[in-house]
Each structure stands twice: as structure tokens, then as C-alpha cells.
Amino acid sequence: MLTRNCLSLFLWILFDGGLLTPLQTQPQQTLATEPKENVIHLPGRWSHFQRVKRGWVWNQFFVLEEYMGSEPQYVGKLHSDLDKGEGTVKYTLSGDGAGTVFTIDETTGDIHAIRSLDREEKPFYTLRAQAVDIETRKPLEPESEFIIKVQDINDNEPKFLDGPYVASVPEMSPVGAYVLQVKATDADDPTYGNSARVVYSILQGQPYFSIDPKTGIIRTALPNMDREVKEQYQVLIQAKDMGGQLGGLAGTTIVNITLTDVNDNPPRFPKSIFHLKVPESSPIGSAIGRIRAVDPDFGQNAEIEYNIVPGDGGNLFDIITDEDTQEGIIKLKKPLDFETKKAYTFKVEASNLHLDHRFHSVGPFKDTATVKISVLDVDEPPVFSKPLYTMEVYEDTPVGTIIGAVTAQDMDVGSSAVRYFIDWKSDGNSYFTIDGTEGTIATNELLDRESTAQYNFSVIASKVSNPLLTSKVNILINVLDVNEFPPEISVPFETAVCENAKPGQIIQIVSAVDRDLPPAGQQFSFRLSPEASIKPNFTVCDFRNNTAGIETRRNGYSRRQQELYFLPIVIEDSSYPVQSSTNTMTIRVCRCDSDGTILSCNVEAIFLPVGLSTGALIAILLCIIILLAIVVLYVALRRQKKKDTLMTSKEDIRDNVIHYDDEGGGEEDTQAFDIGALRNPKVIEENKIRRDIKPDSLCLPRQRPPVEDNTDIRDFINQRLQENDVDPTAPPYDSLATYAYEGNGSVAESLSSIDSVTTEADQDYDYLTEWGPRFKVLADMFGEEEESYNPDKVT
């Protein structure tokens, strides 16, 4: 504070000594530049403009910042030559801070700063001054502008605006390797004194790093700094103004420096031998163990590649790197067999993937270890001799025929017997069987290739000593074709020939199809059947390429003589046994033009050459249809009139030969007698009169043999039928012998004794009387036999 007050006093003395207050006789001694002249018009004194000398000349004032005195700080003095000291001149001040920061004595012109100023806040103030007549208030001088500068003092310490800093440098870097540049900023005036001149130094972080005092560049100070020894460093940097002299202000910042990794360390196995135990049942591709080499480096510099050195058992194993743990994973490439070999030994090499040429002199960046693998014995399932069995069998092979066999063995030391069985899930229909001991596969059903051409199922083998240990194999059976189907002609089965066809003309190309599976090179042959080879109208020309042509043998054909020709063609295949078939080709004769184009093949075309028109043909056809309808109606009416009542004689009701004048309809004639009454008793009342046709001559009386005990009515009817068939005196006409016999499905139920009670004594024939007059004879006959029945004999 004492130094600051002394400096202010010195400046006040300097300013008050006349530097800012010009002398009337020596204006050239002022602190300002040379006086500037100006042309001023003074009203009432001069009649014209004239060059006058400026009364007060000055440039700028200085004021100390951060002034802490009790009195206002004196800045300077304004004075005009027109001011004679009589109190007639008044000084005014305007501009930046006028009245608030700076004041002026209106009489003396003294300027004071009434508050403390900060250069960093505002470095200078621009003001305007003027001298006026106190009485007239008129300006005595033109208004002039001047500047008051705030003079800097060292009141701001340097600051690191970007701190704290983070930097990195590779490990093993040489001395002087660039790390980082720091920068501190001082708010003081760099053009005045040393207040803003900053010097850098390290307070903490030596002897590892150094800093340039002027530029602030940090560099390494020690060689071969190892990240594996120490990775993080914290350096404290100081920036001091006043050129680092005593009394200067200082600021600090922290720089965190990290040593980045380089590949300066090779991988190393922690031990030279690794022992692994692996079951022989381990599947191919499974991980059987892990080994690890240690690399103290970091990131990609610590990435390790493992390789198996060629040697004993190396081809059975493989090794890959786990990217997360950098371990070597040993995997199985081929199956192990304890019975074949019990142990394997090989070497594994670990090396870095990313090498740094600067450290090649250190040595090879790889290491080697020995791996010993012991194979453990495991009770294994049987092993089939093949991974897939393929067999063949002809279709329609007899059931039980052996078509092949499978073989599985127990490869363990104590060999066990093996049992075979078919997986029912794969052969649900049981087309095949297998011998559980021998493994032979046989057919269980007849096979049809056209139905199923291939079968695929599985056979399971299990150990007798341990049935839970099983293995499975697929069986593929191809059904071979047997030539069981003859070839047939393919469509079309009908063709046409022109009436004007010439001999040797091919009218149709035919080919054959065979439902059998055609083997390679199968051929079909075509020829005429033997019965059609005699004077044929057409012949078959075999082209020897599984096709044939229908060739004409005549010079022209007539539709009026023969419209259709049927040509039997024999087709044979070349398989064994040879199968052949005769196929009939229908050939229709058609009318063609001269180019062979078919014009018409219908019936109308046959009559058109005769001269009949289409209307005439339609009339002829209608007449034919009407005549046919009249004939059918006449026949139907005549049959209706011939029906008459049948004889109802008691003696002859079961043995009537009815003679008709015309031939009957045979067994299918149901018009001669209405049997509806036998089927439905309700029609009895509606049909009172018999519609049997009365015969011209009566049949000869025959003696009726007595009815045997428990004789079936069916046998009785059959006996009467046979008598009529062998009777030479019977007329040669159709006869109708009507017997009432119905089955179980009849509405009237059956009249037969079949399905009836055991004896006729148990029968009740009273219902026959309810069936009407047609059954009166039967009702009387059986009613009499029931009355005369005794246990010993039936009459």
C-alpha cells in the first residue's frame, strides 16, 4: 500500500508540475502533442473568421486502478488562457463516467476520481471538456475530447482456463518425449510492466516429467518408464507472473498423465506341463480343457494366439483362443478310444498377434508348454459297422425273406452281447422284422413298389449287460420293380382315316405307357394281333423308338360300306418277364378334302351325297321315334289285357301250370301276376279279382305225395318246380307257379318254417285266414293238419 501511495504522489507531482497545465508563454512544454490550432468565431469581437491559437492543449490523463485512499484520487487540471483568474470562466465535463466516476471543479478545472477503478473491467474512459462564460453561458472554447486511462497494477494471478489436464504418453518413451502443452492466462495489462509475463514450473511430478518455463510444454524426464511398474502420474504445474520474481502472483493446475501400453512383454506359461483327463465318450468338437499363458501387457498387445506343435496326437486335437479370457481352449477333432490308446502328449505354443519391431531385440515373443492328456475308459454303447445301411428287395417278395443284416459290436474291454430291434416310431406299420441276435432284416408284409418305392426306418442296438446303452442306425430299403404290368397304348384310342387315303399313309402315331418302373434302355415293340394280320385294312409300323405308326393298306375307304374299323395292336415291353397287352384302336372313316383335312365324320355326312337335306333327315328321325313309341304302347296295352284270375282250386292251388299264347318275359316278368298282395296285406281288399292269364289247356293232374313230418315249405315248392321242369307233357310255354314265400324283410313276414319254432304243433296258422281269399286254401289245409295233429304222427 505504501508503494502504491508513493507512486500516486509521484504522478500527482508530475501532473501538477505543468505537464497538463500549459503555460501562457511556453505551450510547447506540455505532455500532449503540439498545440492544434482551430478557427473560432467569437461573436461581437471579430467581424470575420481568423486563425486563433488554442488556449489549452492536452492528450490524455492516467489514473491508478484499485486506489484505496480516503480522498478522491487527483487525475489532472484543465486550464484555459482566457481564464484570468477572475472567476468568469466555468469548466464543464461530459462523457464516460462524468459525474459518477470523475468530477471537475468548475472554477479551477481540477479533475478527481471519486471511486476505485478496475482496469480489467474498463481500461479507459473518453470524456469531453469545455470552458464557458459564467455570465453569458456561452462557450469560450470549442468542446475538446480527452481520454483517461486506468493504469494497471499486478492484481490478477495467472489462471489455467483448461485445467485440470489429462494426457498420455507411451511407456518406454525416450527422454524429452512430448506429453502436453499447458497455458495460463493473466488478466493484467501485458503492455505495461511484468504483470502479465508468466513463467511455468513443476511443483510435483519430478523427476519423471519436465516443463518448458516459457511455452508450458511438458516432456518426459526419465527413460524407459514401464507401465507394468507404474501407470498413472499426477503432475502439479505452477504459472507465476512478474517473470517469476518475488512478489508475483501464481496459479496452479493438475495434469494427470497415463502411460499407454506397448507390446514390450512376451506371453509366458505359468507352468511347463499341463495335465488333462478326457473321457473317451467325449463328442467331437467338445472342449476338453483350458490352458493359459500370462502377458502383462494390455489390450491388443496382450492378445495371444495358441498353436499345437506337430507331434504325438496333435492331429486329434485343436486349440482356439478365448477372446474374453485369452485362454487356449483345447477341442477334440477325432473320437478317442481307450481300448486303442490311453494317453497323448503334445506341445502348445503361445505367441503375440501384434508385435512391436522396437522390442525385437528383447527376444522371441512366444512361449511353449507341454500338454499331457489321459483318456478315461467309459462304458460305451455298441458301434454299428456302417453309418447307414442300404438294402434292396423286389416287390411281391414272399413274407419272411431275408433282405440284409446289420452288425454292431461292443468295443469295450469286457465285450458284451448285442441285441437288435426296430424303432417302432420309424416303422409303425411293421413292414419288416429283425432277428434280435443275428441282426438279419426280413420282410413282414408283401411290398408294392407302385405304392411305396422306398422305406426308411431305424434299428437300435443295445448291450445285454447294460440295456440303457443303445445306438441307432438308419436303414434305407429300395423296393425294386418287378415287371408285373403290361404296357398299354397311350391316348388317343381313336383316330380317323380319310376316304381318299392312299396305301402306305401314316394316319396316327401311337406310344405306350407302363405302370412299372422302366429300367434304363427299356423298349416297347408294336405289332398287329395274329387274327388281324390276315388281309388287314391297316398295319402297324414299329419305329423302334417306343412309338409306332398306323399305316393304311388300301386305296381309299368308303363310309357307306364300313364307317368304323377296329385295329388290335399288341404291345410288348423288354423287361423280364415279358409283359404284353392287346389294345384296340378305333379308326373312323371321314370325308376329307384333297389336302387331307377332315371335313366331317358324323352320320349326316353319309347321306348328304345321296341328296337328302337336313330337314328330310330330321323328319325321318321323328317318324322313327313315333313308330317306336306306338310299338311300345301297343305291347304295354296287350300285356295288361292278358292278365286274368288264377285258379283257386284246393287241389291245384300249389301245382298250376298256366299256359299263355305268347312268350313271357322270363324271370324278370313281374306283370303276369300281382304279387303286391303278398307283400302288403292292406291291398287285399283293393284287388279282389285275380289277374292271372287263363291257360288254354289245363295241366295234367298229378298225385300229391303226403307231406312229411316237419317238411319245409321251401322244399315242397322246389319239388313242384322240378316236376314241372322234367314233365314232357308240359306245354312249351313260360309258366308261372306262384308260391307265397317271403323272407324276413317282408311286410307279411316269412311263410317258411325256417327260423320258426321247433315243431309244427307249436305253429299258429290262424293268421292265414286274415290274408284274404288268396290264402284260403293254405289256411284250410294247415288248419286241418293242426286239428288232426297227434304226438306220434302228423297226417
Side-chain angles (χ1 to χ4, degrees):
M1 180 62 68
L2 180 61
T3 302
R4 181 180 300 177
N5 293 335
C6 292
L7 182 61
S8 300
L9 180 62
F10 170 76
L11 292 174
W12 180 82
I13 294 173
L14 182 64
F15 292 158
D16 191 57
L19 291 178
L20 296 178
T21 305
L23 298 176
Q24 297 290 340
T25 59
Q26 295 179 349
Q28 68 277 7
Q29 295 181 359
T30 61
L31 184 63
T33 57
E34 287 296 326
K36 295 182 179 181
E37 295 181 355
N38 199 357
V39 178
I40 303 175
H41 175 70
L42 298 177
R45 292 188 182 184
W46 296 275
S47 58
H48 58 276
F49 291 101
Q50 62 179 358
R51 182 178 183 271
V52 295
K53 183 178 180 181
R54 184 173 180 175
W56 49 285
V57 180
W58 47 295
N59 188 8
Q60 59 184 1
F61 295 117
F62 292 90
V63 60
L64 290 177
E65 67 169 337
E66 304 292 345
Y67 176 74
M68 304 300 295
S70 59
E71 297 293 333
Q73 182 181 183
Y74 179 76
V75 178
K77 183 179 182 66
L78 298 179
H79 183 71
S80 174
D81 292 342
L82 300 179
D83 186 3
K84 305 300 182 178
E86 298 174 353
T88 60
V89 178
K90 178 182 178 181
Y91 296 95
T92 61
L93 189 66
S94 63
D96 291 341
T100 58
V101 178
F102 302 100
T103 61
I104 188 171
D105 189 317
E106 295 181 351
T107 303
T108 63
D110 294 334
I111 300 174
H112 291 83
I114 59 177
R115 66 180 182 87
S116 178
L117 302 180
D118 187 1
R119 190 199 69 83
E120 286 73 31
E121 180 180 349
K122 190 174 180 64
F124 64 91
Y125 295 87
T126 302
L127 294 96
R128 293 180 299 278
Q130 192 173 35
V132 297
D133 189 291
I134 195 171
E135 294 179 357
T136 63
R137 302 288 182 179
K138 294 183 178 180
L140 300 177
E141 295 279 354
E143 187 179 51
S144 299
E145 185 177 85
F146 65 95
I147 296 175
I148 299 177
K149 287 188 176 181
V150 181
Q151 191 163 3
D152 182 51
I153 62 173
N154 190 18
D155 60 341
N156 292 281
E157 72 276 6
K159 294 182 180 181
F160 293 93
L161 301 180
D162 298 329
Y165 296 88
V166 177
S168 63
V169 62
E171 63 173 336
M172 298 296 176
S173 296
V175 176
Y178 176 84
V179 178
L180 180 69
Q181 183 178 14
V182 297
K183 184 177 181 181
T185 302
D186 196 322
D188 292 330
D189 189 2
T191 63
Y192 180 78
N194 294 327
S195 299
R197 190 163 69 88
V198 178
V199 175
Y200 300 95
S201 62
I202 294 181
L203 301 182
Q204 176 184 334
Q206 295 174 335
Y208 304 103
F209 301 94
S210 62
I211 189 169
D212 189 300
K214 295 182 179 180
T215 61
I217 296 177
I218 303 173
R219 300 180 183 272
T220 57
L222 285 180
N224 299 328
M225 287 190 291
D226 193 355
R227 184 195 68 85
E228 288 73 33
V229 176
K230 185 177 181 181
E231 182 178 5
Q232 298 287 341
Y233 294 87
Q234 190 175 77
V235 180
L236 182 61
I237 303 296
Q238 174 184 268
K240 189 174 182 180
D241 59 11
M242 299 296 294
Q245 298 177 2
L246 184 65
L249 302 179
T252 59
T253 188
I254 293 176
V255 180
N256 293 312
I257 302 176
T258 302
L259 296 182
T260 59
D261 184 61
V262 296
N263 192 9
D264 59 336
N265 295 284
R268 291 288 182 264
F269 284 105
K271 55 184 179 180
S272 59
I273 299 177
F274 292 87
H275 293 274
L276 300 175
K277 294 182 179 180
V278 182
E280 64 173 339
S281 60
S282 299
I284 296 176
S286 61
I288 60 175
R290 289 173 175 255
I291 61 174
R292 182 179 181 181
V294 178
D295 191 334
D297 292 326
F298 177 75
Q300 68 174 9
N301 296 318
E303 293 180 0
I304 302 174
E305 181 183 18
Y306 296 91
N307 293 288
I308 295 178
V309 179
D312 178 30
N315 58 345
L316 271 74
F317 305 95
D318 192 12
I319 188 169
I320 61 174
T321 303
D322 189 332
E323 296 182 357
D324 296 329
T325 63
Q326 294 299 313
E327 292 179 315
I329 304 175
I330 300 176
K331 291 189 173 184
L332 191 61
K333 290 174 59 178
K334 296 181 180 180
L336 301 177
D337 188 6
F338 176 82
E339 289 72 25
T340 303
K341 193 170 184 178
K342 298 178 177 59
Y344 297 90
T345 302
F346 55 90
K347 291 184 177 181
V348 174
E349 181 182 83
S351 60
N352 283 134
L353 287 175
H354 307 281
L355 300 179
D356 194 334
H357 64 278
R358 296 176 297 173
F359 304 100
H360 284 174
S361 60
V362 178
F365 279 75
K366 59 183 178 180
D367 196 13
T368 303
T370 301
V371 178
K372 292 186 177 181
I373 295 180
S374 300
V375 181
L376 303 178
D377 187 25
V378 176
D379 194 8
E380 298 176 303
V383 179
F384 283 96
S385 60
K386 296 180 182 179
L388 174 67
Y389 288 86
T390 301
M391 303 177 186
E392 295 180 346
V393 60
Y394 281 97
E395 62 178 335
D396 297 330
T397 298
V399 176
T401 302
I402 296 177
I403 59 177
V406 296
T407 303
Q409 294 180 352
D410 182 12
M411 308 303 294
D412 292 330
V413 176
S415 180
S416 172
V418 179
R419 291 290 180 267
Y420 306 93
F421 55 93
I422 295 177
D423 187 2
W424 64 270
K425 296 180 181 179
S426 60
D427 186 27
N429 295 326
S430 300
Y431 288 105
F432 304 94
T433 59
I434 188 170
D435 187 280
T437 304
E438 301 295 332
T440 56
I441 298 175
T443 59
N444 195 35
E445 291 187 9
L446 289 177
L447 305 179
D448 183 12
R449 189 205 63 82
E450 285 71 30
S451 175
T452 304
Q454 190 179 76
Y455 293 88
N456 191 350
F457 58 92
S458 300
V459 170
I460 300 176
S462 64
K463 296 174 64 172
V464 175
S465 60
N466 189 358
L468 297 179
L469 293 177
T470 61
S471 57
K472 183 184 293 187
V473 69
N474 288 333
I475 309 296
L476 186 64
I477 297 181
N478 296 316
V479 181
L480 303 180
D481 184 44
V482 174
N483 193 23
E484 56 182 336
F485 295 101
E488 298 177 352
I489 191 171
S490 60
V491 293
F493 288 94
E494 184 176 341
T495 185
V497 62
C498 294
E499 288 183 308
N500 55 357
K502 303 298 182 182
Q505 181 179 345
I506 301 299
I507 62 173
Q508 180 68 44
I509 302 296
V510 295
S511 59
V513 293
D514 196 338
R515 285 186 293 169
D516 294 314
L517 180 65
Q522 182 175 0
Q523 294 290 329
F524 298 108
S525 61
F526 303 83
R527 69 174 188 272
L528 281 180
S529 63
E531 62 273 11
S533 300
I534 303 173
K535 295 182 179 181
N537 295 301
F538 301 91
T539 186
V540 177
C541 181
D542 193 347
F543 296 146
R544 304 298 180 184
N545 61 352
N546 290 341
T547 61
I550 307 300
E551 182 180 351
T552 59
R553 297 294 298 274
R554 291 174 50 183
N555 187 9
Y557 298 86
S558 175
R559 285 184 293 168
R560 296 188 183 90
Q561 294 179 1
Q562 187 172 347
E563 181 185 1
L564 299 176
Y565 291 89
F566 300 98
L567 184 66
I569 303 175
V570 178
I571 306 177
E572 289 184 354
D573 57 20
S574 59
S575 301
Y576 181 83
V578 176
Q579 297 286 347
S580 64
S581 65
T582 301
N583 301 264
T584 301
M585 171 71 73
T586 301
I587 303 175
R588 184 181 298 276
V589 181
C590 298
R591 185 168 64 93
C592 306
D593 58 11
S594 59
D595 297 331
T597 303
I598 297 176
L599 299 178
S600 177
C601 293
N602 51 26
V603 179
E604 177 187 350
I606 300 177
F607 296 97
L608 287 178
V610 182
L612 295 178
S613 62
T614 305
L617 291 176
I618 294 175
I620 293 173
L621 292 177
L622 289 176
C623 292
I624 293 174
I625 293 173
I626 294 173
L627 290 176
L628 291 176
I630 293 173
V631 172
V632 173
L633 183 60
Y634 173 75
V635 173
L637 292 175
R638 185 171 180 181
R639 287 188 178 180
Q640 186 70 22
K641 292 178 180 180
K642 286 183 178 180
K643 295 180 181 180
D644 199 356
T645 307
L646 294 176
M647 299 175 62
T648 56
S649 174
K650 176 179 180 181
E651 293 81 4
D652 300 324
I653 188 63
R654 288 171 295 176
D655 189 13
N656 289 336
V657 177
I658 303 174
H659 179 268
Y660 300 91
D661 292 336
D662 56 354
E663 185 177 356
E667 294 179 357
E668 309 224 352
D669 188 2
T670 59
Q671 300 297 328
F673 181 74
D674 185 11
I675 62 174
L678 297 178
R679 298 176 182 170
N680 190 354
K682 295 181 180 180
V683 303
I684 295 176
E685 298 298 328
E686 299 176 1
N687 300 301
K688 298 293 184 178
I689 304 175
R690 292 174 59 89
R691 292 181 293 174
D692 295 37
I693 298 175
K694 185 175 181 181
D696 295 338
S697 61
L698 298 176
C699 61
L700 298 177
R702 299 181 181 86
Q703 295 182 356
R704 181 183 62 182
V707 181
E708 298 179 358
D709 295 341
N710 298 327
T711 301
D712 188 7
I713 297 178
R714 180 185 295 177
D715 296 337
F716 176 78
I717 295 172
N718 292 332
Q719 181 180 355
R720 288 294 179 266
L721 288 175
Q722 291 176 4
E723 291 177 2
N724 283 275
D725 291 339
V726 301
D727 186 4
T729 61
Y733 300 105
D734 287 348
S735 61
L736 176 63
T738 303
Y739 302 95
Y741 178 80
E742 288 290 331
N744 292 333
S746 173
V747 179
E749 297 183 340
S750 177
L751 300 179
S752 171
S753 61
I754 301 175
D755 297 333
S756 63
V757 294
T758 305
T759 62
E760 294 185 359
D762 297 331
Q763 298 281 351
D764 183 11
Y765 299 102
D766 293 339
Y767 61 89
L768 295 175
T769 60
E770 300 176 359
W771 285 6
R774 301 183 182 181
F775 297 91
K776 184 175 183 302
V777 177
L778 285 176
D780 295 339
M781 180 177 62
F782 285 93
E784 292 175 358
E785 292 178 356
E786 185 178 1
E787 293 175 358
S788 60
Y789 171 76
N790 62 71
D792 296 332
K793 183 178 180 181
V794 179
T795 57

